[in-house]
Amino acid sequence: MRKRLIIGMRGASGAPLTIELLKQLQQYKEIIEIHLIVTKGAEMTLEQETDYTLEQLYALADEVHD
C-alpha cells in the first residue's frame, strides 16, 4: 500500500517550487500517492510565473481535489 502525500498549492510565489517538487516525487510513485489541492490564487500564480498549464500540473499528481 502506498503512502499518501497531500500537497497544497496556494497563491504565494511558489508555483515553480511546487512543480519541481511534484516532478521530483515522480521517482517515488511506487511508494507515494500524490494528492494535490490548488486554490484559485495558485491557478493565477501558475499562469504568471510558469509556462505550465493546469492540465500539465494536474498530470504530475495521482489525485486532484477542489
Side-chain angles (χ1 to χ4, degrees), residues 38-51:
V38 181
T39 67
K40 293 292 182 193
E43 291 176 10
M44 292 187 311
T45 304
L46 180 74
E47 183 180 315
Q48 294 170 355
E49 294 185 355
T50 74
D51 293 329

Side-chain angles (χ1 to χ4, degrees), residues 3-23:
K3 298 285 185 180
R4 182 175 299 160
L5 177 63
I6 301 170
I7 298 173
M9 184 176 172
R10 57 187 194 98
S13 293
L17 295 173
T18 303
I19 291 168
E20 185 59 30
L21 172 64
L22 291 169
K23 287 168 63 176

